[in-house]
Protein backbone atom coordinates (compact mmCIF):
# COMPACT_ATOMS: atom_id res chain seq x y z
CA UNK A 1 0.00 0.00 0.00
CA UNK A 2 2.71 2.47 0.97
CA UNK A 3 4.78 1.68 -2.13
CA UNK A 4 1.78 2.25 -4.43
CA UNK A 5 1.04 5.73 -3.02
CA UNK A 6 4.67 6.80 -3.35
CA UNK A 7 4.82 5.75 -7.02
CA UNK A 8 1.60 7.54 -7.95
CA UNK A 9 2.73 10.66 -6.08
CA UNK A 10 5.99 10.78 -8.05
CA UNK A 11 4.08 10.37 -11.32
CA UNK A 12 1.75 13.23 -10.39
CA UNK A 13 4.73 15.47 -9.61
CA UNK A 14 6.35 14.70 -12.97
CA UNK A 15 3.10 15.31 -14.84
CA UNK A 16 2.48 18.62 -13.05
CA UNK A 17 5.99 19.91 -13.77
CA UNK A 18 5.56 19.16 -17.46
CA UNK A 19 2.56 21.51 -17.80
CA UNK A 20 4.26 24.86 -17.08
CA UNK A 21 7.63 26.43 -17.69
CA UNK A 22 9.71 29.53 -18.32
CA UNK A 23 12.43 30.50 -20.79
CA UNK A 24 14.45 33.67 -20.28
CA UNK A 25 16.95 35.79 -22.19
CA UNK A 26 18.83 38.82 -20.87
CA UNK A 27 19.93 41.97 -22.69
CA UNK A 28 22.52 44.47 -21.41
CA UNK A 29 21.05 47.98 -21.33
CA UNK A 30 23.23 51.02 -22.07
CA UNK A 31 21.15 54.08 -22.87
CA UNK A 32 23.00 57.42 -23.16
CA UNK A 33 22.19 60.98 -24.29
CA UNK A 34 23.88 60.13 -27.59
CA UNK A 35 21.93 56.87 -27.97
CA UNK A 36 18.58 57.53 -26.25
CA UNK A 37 16.91 54.46 -27.74
CA UNK A 38 18.46 50.98 -27.62
CA UNK A 39 17.77 48.46 -30.36
CA UNK A 40 18.26 44.70 -29.97
CA UNK A 41 16.93 41.36 -31.19
CA UNK A 42 15.12 38.69 -29.19
CA UNK A 43 14.59 35.04 -30.03
CA UNK A 44 10.98 34.17 -30.70
CA UNK A 45 9.14 31.52 -28.68
CA UNK A 46 9.37 27.95 -30.02
CA UNK A 47 5.97 26.25 -29.78
CA UNK A 48 7.54 22.89 -30.72
CA UNK A 49 4.91 22.20 -33.31
CA UNK A 50 2.05 23.26 -31.07
CA UNK A 51 3.02 21.24 -27.98
CA UNK A 52 3.76 24.48 -26.06
CA UNK A 53 1.58 27.59 -25.74
CA UNK A 54 2.98 31.00 -24.78
CA UNK A 55 0.76 32.47 -22.04
CA UNK A 56 2.65 35.69 -21.28
CA UNK A 57 5.85 37.70 -21.68
CA UNK A 58 7.41 39.09 -18.49
CA UNK A 59 9.82 42.05 -18.53
CA UNK A 60 12.23 42.48 -15.61
CA UNK A 61 14.28 45.69 -15.57
CA UNK A 62 17.20 46.15 -13.18
CA UNK A 63 18.96 49.42 -14.04
CA UNK A 64 20.70 52.48 -12.66
CA UNK A 65 18.94 55.60 -13.92
CA UNK A 66 20.30 59.14 -14.12
CA UNK A 67 18.52 62.18 -15.57
CA UNK A 68 20.16 65.54 -16.26
CA UNK A 69 17.17 67.88 -16.30
CA UNK A 70 17.10 71.45 -17.60
CA UNK A 71 14.18 73.79 -16.95
CA UNK A 72 13.76 76.63 -19.46
CA UNK A 73 12.07 79.91 -18.60
CA UNK A 74 11.03 82.00 -21.62
CA UNK A 75 9.14 84.47 -19.45
CA UNK A 76 10.61 87.98 -19.15
CA UNK A 77 10.52 87.71 -15.36
CA UNK A 78 12.26 85.49 -12.83
CA UNK A 79 10.24 82.89 -10.96
CA UNK A 80 11.28 82.18 -7.35
CA UNK A 81 11.42 78.68 -5.90
CA UNK A 82 8.03 77.52 -4.77
CA UNK A 83 6.14 79.57 -7.36
CA UNK A 84 6.77 76.95 -10.00
CA UNK A 85 7.39 73.19 -9.87
CA UNK A 86 7.74 70.16 -12.11
CA UNK A 87 7.18 66.41 -11.79
CA UNK A 88 9.77 64.83 -14.13
CA UNK A 89 8.72 61.19 -14.15
CA UNK A 90 10.03 58.75 -16.77
CA UNK A 91 8.38 55.70 -18.33
CA UNK A 92 10.14 52.87 -20.15
CA UNK A 93 8.58 51.89 -23.46
CA UNK A 94 9.28 48.61 -25.22
CA UNK A 95 8.48 48.01 -28.89
CA UNK A 96 8.71 44.81 -30.88
CA UNK A 97 8.08 44.00 -34.50
CA UNK A 98 8.62 41.08 -36.85
CA UNK A 99 7.75 39.98 -40.36
CA UNK A 100 8.05 43.46 -41.89
CA UNK A 101 9.05 43.48 -45.54
CA UNK A 102 11.93 45.41 -47.04
CA UNK A 103 9.54 48.16 -48.11
CA UNK A 104 8.43 48.65 -44.49
CA UNK A 105 4.97 47.25 -45.13
CA UNK A 106 3.12 44.48 -43.32
CA UNK A 107 4.40 42.67 -40.27
CA UNK A 108 3.30 42.53 -36.65
CA UNK A 109 4.17 44.99 -33.89
CA UNK A 110 3.45 45.67 -30.23
CA UNK A 111 4.11 48.60 -27.91
CA UNK A 112 4.09 48.44 -24.10
CA UNK A 113 5.08 50.45 -21.06
CA UNK A 114 7.14 48.14 -18.85
CA UNK A 115 8.00 50.32 -15.85
CA UNK A 116 9.13 53.76 -14.81
CA UNK A 117 10.67 56.01 -12.19
CA UNK A 118 9.39 59.15 -10.45
CA UNK A 119 11.78 61.60 -8.81
CA UNK A 120 9.10 63.71 -7.17
CA UNK A 121 8.61 67.46 -7.35
CA UNK A 122 11.48 69.83 -8.23
CA UNK A 123 11.64 73.62 -7.90
CA UNK A 124 14.22 76.39 -7.56
CA UNK A 125 14.98 80.02 -8.39
CA UNK A 126 14.40 80.23 -12.13
CA UNK A 127 16.14 83.17 -13.91
CA UNK A 128 14.24 85.39 -16.33
CA UNK A 129 14.42 84.76 -20.04
CA UNK A 130 13.50 86.52 -23.25
CA UNK A 131 11.69 85.54 -26.39
CA UNK A 132 9.84 82.26 -26.85
CA UNK A 133 10.63 78.56 -27.45
CA UNK A 134 11.05 79.50 -31.12
CA UNK A 135 13.56 82.27 -30.48
CA UNK A 136 15.26 84.20 -27.71
CA UNK A 137 17.39 83.22 -24.75
CA UNK A 138 15.67 81.37 -21.91
CA UNK A 139 16.67 81.49 -18.28
CA UNK A 140 17.75 77.99 -17.24
CA UNK A 141 18.06 75.89 -14.11
CA UNK A 142 19.63 72.44 -14.01
CA UNK A 143 18.92 69.40 -11.84
CA UNK A 144 20.62 66.04 -11.57
CA UNK A 145 18.41 63.18 -10.41
CA UNK A 146 19.40 59.54 -10.02
CA UNK A 147 17.94 56.30 -8.73
CA UNK A 148 17.42 52.60 -9.38
CA UNK A 149 14.71 51.56 -11.81
CA UNK A 150 13.51 48.02 -11.10
CA UNK A 151 10.32 46.65 -12.60
CA UNK A 152 8.57 43.32 -13.10
CA UNK A 153 5.85 43.67 -15.75
CA UNK A 154 3.78 40.86 -17.27
CA UNK A 155 2.03 41.27 -20.61
CA UNK A 156 -0.32 38.36 -21.29
CA UNK A 157 -2.28 39.98 -24.11
CA UNK A 158 -3.04 38.15 -27.33
CA UNK A 159 -1.08 40.65 -29.45
CA UNK A 160 2.26 40.04 -27.76
CA UNK A 161 1.88 36.26 -27.30
CA UNK A 162 0.89 35.90 -30.96
CA UNK A 163 3.83 37.99 -32.20
CA UNK A 164 6.46 36.20 -30.13
CA UNK A 165 5.03 32.76 -31.03
CA UNK A 166 4.85 33.42 -34.77
CA UNK A 167 8.38 34.63 -35.55
CA UNK A 168 11.90 33.33 -34.96
CA UNK A 169 13.46 36.77 -34.43
CA UNK A 170 11.88 39.84 -32.83
CA UNK A 171 13.33 43.30 -33.55
CA UNK A 172 12.98 45.30 -30.34
CA UNK A 173 13.70 48.72 -28.87
CA UNK A 174 13.71 50.18 -25.37
CA UNK A 175 13.64 53.89 -24.57
CA UNK A 176 12.77 56.21 -21.67
CA UNK A 177 10.17 58.92 -22.24
CA UNK A 178 9.19 61.79 -19.98
CA UNK A 179 5.77 63.41 -19.83
CA UNK A 180 6.45 66.04 -17.15
CA UNK A 181 3.81 68.01 -15.31
CA UNK A 182 4.72 71.71 -15.10
CA UNK A 183 3.15 74.26 -12.78
CA UNK A 184 3.91 77.99 -12.99
CA UNK A 185 2.38 81.39 -12.23
CA UNK A 186 -0.05 83.06 -14.67
CA UNK A 187 1.70 84.45 -17.73
CA UNK A 188 4.79 82.27 -17.34
CA UNK A 189 6.27 80.27 -20.19
CA UNK A 190 8.41 77.36 -18.97
CA UNK A 191 9.41 73.99 -20.40
CA UNK A 192 11.61 71.02 -19.45
CA UNK A 193 14.21 68.90 -21.21
CA UNK A 194 16.16 65.86 -20.02
CA UNK A 195 19.11 63.69 -20.98
CA UNK A 196 19.07 60.14 -19.62
CA UNK A 197 21.83 57.66 -18.84
CA UNK A 198 20.62 54.16 -17.99
CA UNK A 199 22.67 51.00 -17.50
CA UNK A 200 21.78 47.50 -16.33
CA UNK A 201 19.84 44.56 -17.68
CA UNK A 202 16.48 43.68 -19.19
CA UNK A 203 15.40 40.06 -18.75
CA UNK A 204 12.58 38.83 -20.98
CA UNK A 205 10.82 35.72 -19.71
CA UNK A 206 8.48 33.54 -21.76
CA UNK A 207 5.85 31.89 -19.56
CA UNK A 208 4.21 28.90 -21.21
CA UNK A 209 2.14 25.79 -20.73
CA UNK A 210 3.09 22.47 -22.28
CA UNK A 211 0.82 19.73 -23.56
CA UNK A 212 2.30 16.31 -22.73
CA UNK A 213 3.08 14.29 -25.84
CA UNK A 214 0.70 11.34 -26.44
CA UNK A 215 3.56 8.88 -25.82
CA UNK A 216 4.31 10.45 -22.44
CA UNK A 217 0.66 10.32 -21.45
CA UNK A 218 0.51 6.65 -22.43
CA UNK A 219 3.58 5.89 -20.31
CA UNK A 220 1.96 7.58 -17.34
CA UNK A 221 -1.14 5.46 -17.87
CA UNK A 222 0.88 2.24 -18.10
CA UNK A 223 2.87 3.14 -14.98
CA UNK A 224 -0.31 3.92 -13.09
CA UNK A 225 -1.89 0.63 -14.20
CA UNK A 226 1.22 -1.25 -13.06
CA UNK A 227 1.05 0.44 -9.67
CA UNK A 228 -2.56 -0.57 -9.24
CA UNK A 229 -1.73 -4.18 -10.10
CA UNK A 230 0.97 -4.23 -7.45
CA UNK A 231 -1.56 -2.88 -4.99
CA UNK A 232 -3.79 -5.86 -5.63
Amino acid sequence: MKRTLTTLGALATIAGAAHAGEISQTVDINITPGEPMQAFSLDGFDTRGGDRTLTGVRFQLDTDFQADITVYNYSDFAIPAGEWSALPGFSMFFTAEAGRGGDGGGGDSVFAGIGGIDFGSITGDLPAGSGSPFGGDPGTLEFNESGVLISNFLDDGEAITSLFSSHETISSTLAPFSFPELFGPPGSDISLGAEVTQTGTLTVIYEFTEIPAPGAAALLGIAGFGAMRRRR
Side-chain angles (χ1 to χ4, degrees), residues 70-75 126-130 137-141:
T70 303
V71 181
Y72 302 92
N73 180 21
Y74 291 92
S75 314
L126 191 54
S130 63
D137 297 319
T140 62
L141 187 60

Side-chain angles (χ1 to χ4, degrees), residues 5-6 28 33 40 52 54-55 75 81 95 103 140 158 181:
L5 290 174
T6 302
D28 291 330
F40 50 92
R52 300 193 306 189
L54 183 62
T55 58
S75 314
T95 64
D103 59 357
T140 62
E158 183 179 352
E181 295 183 69

Side-chain angles (χ1 to χ4, degrees), residues 5 10 33 38 56 73 76 92 95 117 141 158 164 173 177 181 186 197 200:
L5 290 174
Q38 182 166 339
N73 180 21
D76 59 3
M92 299 303 301
T95 64
I117 189 169
L141 187 60
E158 183 179 352
F164 277 83
T173 64
F177 286 90
E181 295 183 69
T197 301

Side-chain angles (χ1 to χ4, degrees), residues 95-115:
T95 64
E97 64 177 29
R100 194 173 299 279
D103 59 357
D108 302 317
S109 62
V110 294
F111 176 85
I114 62 171

Side-chain angles (χ1 to χ4, degrees), residues 73-94:
N73 180 21
Y74 291 92
S75 314
D76 59 3
F77 54 89
I79 308 176
E83 293 190 13
W84 74 273
S85 63
L87 293 172
F90 294 84
S91 297
M92 299 303 301
F93 287 105
F94 170 85

